[in-house]
Amino acid sequence: AQRVTQPEKLLSVFKGAPVELKCNYSYSGSPELFWYVQYSRQRLQLLLRHISRESIKGFTADLNKGETSFHLKKPFAQEEDSAMYYCALGSYGGSQGNLIFGKGTKLSVKP
Amino acid sequence: NAGVTQTPKFQVLKTGQSMTLQCAQDMNHEYMSWYRQDPGMGLRLIHYSVGAGITDQGEVPNGYNVSRSTTEDFPLRLLSAAPSQTSVYFCASTPSGGVYEQYFGPGTRLTVT
């Protein structure tokens, strides 16, 4: 079964500290993985996608197929990074286009 | 482009009332979907559509109806509102033919009393 697990509901760090938001997935095929961010009471927006291998707002994420993980990292957190972060898994096949979301991690960056 | 738009932004219903949440997109995306967002539950797929005239159920379809008469619009109907349907509802769209970024609407915050 396809599943996305984000083990931390809340992650609290101080400004300037490194951040790692964990994401593990379960999928038998070749996964398409995304990180979405939702700032307070706003719509979800794409932060990054593993296939693009970009760094957005200082965040990076590497797909580790051996550990089935797609952790989101930033070396120095900023207060404006405070938001909800969702990891999502996309799949090909019958329900192509669907994304399966994790339950989300709320990141709080303290001054 | 306006992207994905949703109306209303806020709504309060009494138990048993019905209503329609509107969703529209102007990006000519074939694929559209509805999610509900609840604390600690993430986003759960309610219904989705792969094109005009084609809809299918997601993870939590009970109590909701959808139809897709045009590429642009994908309304979500609550047939008989229940307090358990208190949630934030997001509509999303994406191009078909692969796994692409989903574009989300601003959401509708629904309270059922």
Side-chain angles (χ1 to χ4, degrees), chain B residues 31-55:
Chain B
Y31 189 96
M32 295 184 74
S33 51
W34 277 101
Y35 295 89
R36 59 177 290 172
Q37 182 185 42
D38 302 290
M41 301 296 290
L43 278 83
R44 292 180 292 171
L45 184 66
I46 304 172
H47 285 285
Y48 65 96
S49 168
V50 299
I54 306 169
T55 64

Side-chain angles (χ1 to χ4, degrees), chain A residues 34-79:
Chain A
F34 304 79
W35 276 100
Y36 282 81
V37 61
Q38 185 183 29
Y39 300 102
S40 181
R41 301 224 168 186
Q42 294 187 23
R43 71 181 75 195
L44 276 82
Q45 52 188 286
L46 180 68
L47 182 61
L48 53 80
R49 176 178 182 177
H50 91 273
I51 199 169
S52 66
R53 302 189 66 81
E54 290 179 298
S55 173
I56 306 294
K57 299 184 179 182
F59 285 97
T60 59
D62 290 318
L63 176 62
N64 186 323
K65 291 187 178 181
E67 296 183 358
T68 60
S69 68
F70 188 54
H71 303 329
L72 183 68
K73 300 177 184 179
K74 185 170 183 177
F76 307 103
Q78 303 299 316
E79 289 179 69

Side-chain angles (χ1 to χ4, degrees), chain A residues 9 32 34 36 38 41-44 46 49 86 90-92 94-99 101-104, chain B residues 4 10 31 35 37 40-43 45 48 50 90 94 96-102 104-106 109:
Chain A
K9 285 187 178 180
E32 294 279 354
F34 304 79
Y36 282 81
Q38 185 183 29
R41 301 224 168 186
Q42 294 187 23
R43 71 181 75 195
L44 276 82
L46 180 68
R49 176 178 182 177
Y86 292 96
S91 62
Y92 293 92
S95 60
Q96 183 172 291
N98 282 343
L99 289 181
F101 285 85
K103 294 185 177 181
Chain B
V4 181
F10 302 95
Y31 189 96
Y35 295 89
Q37 182 185 42
M41 301 296 290
L43 278 83
L45 184 66
Y48 65 96
V50 299
F90 287 99
T94 188
S96 63
V99 181
Y100 303 104
E101 172 188 357
Q102 289 205 0
F104 283 84
R109 189 171 292 270

Side-chain angles (χ1 to χ4, degrees), chain B residues 13-91:
Chain B
L13 290 178
K14 294 187 187 307
T15 298
Q17 288 184 317
S18 62
M19 79 160 294
T20 300
L21 280 62
Q22 301 292 344
C23 174
Q25 52 91 11
D26 61 359
M27 298 174 281
N28 203 32
H29 288 167
E30 289 293 322
Y31 189 96
M32 295 184 74
S33 51
W34 277 101
Y35 295 89
R36 59 177 290 172
Q37 182 185 42
D38 302 290
M41 301 296 290
L43 278 83
R44 292 180 292 171
L45 184 66
I46 304 172
H47 285 285
Y48 65 96
S49 168
V50 299
I54 306 169
T55 64
D56 206 346
Q57 297 181 353
E59 180 186 354
V60 287
N62 291 341
Y64 307 95
N65 245 357
V66 292
S67 60
R68 183 98 179 270
S69 55
T70 67
T71 299
E72 294 78 20
D73 300 296
F74 190 42
L76 178 72
R77 296 183 191 83
L78 278 70
L79 310 172
S80 177
S84 61
Q85 293 179 303
T86 294
S87 186
V88 181
Y89 292 85
F90 287 99
C91 178

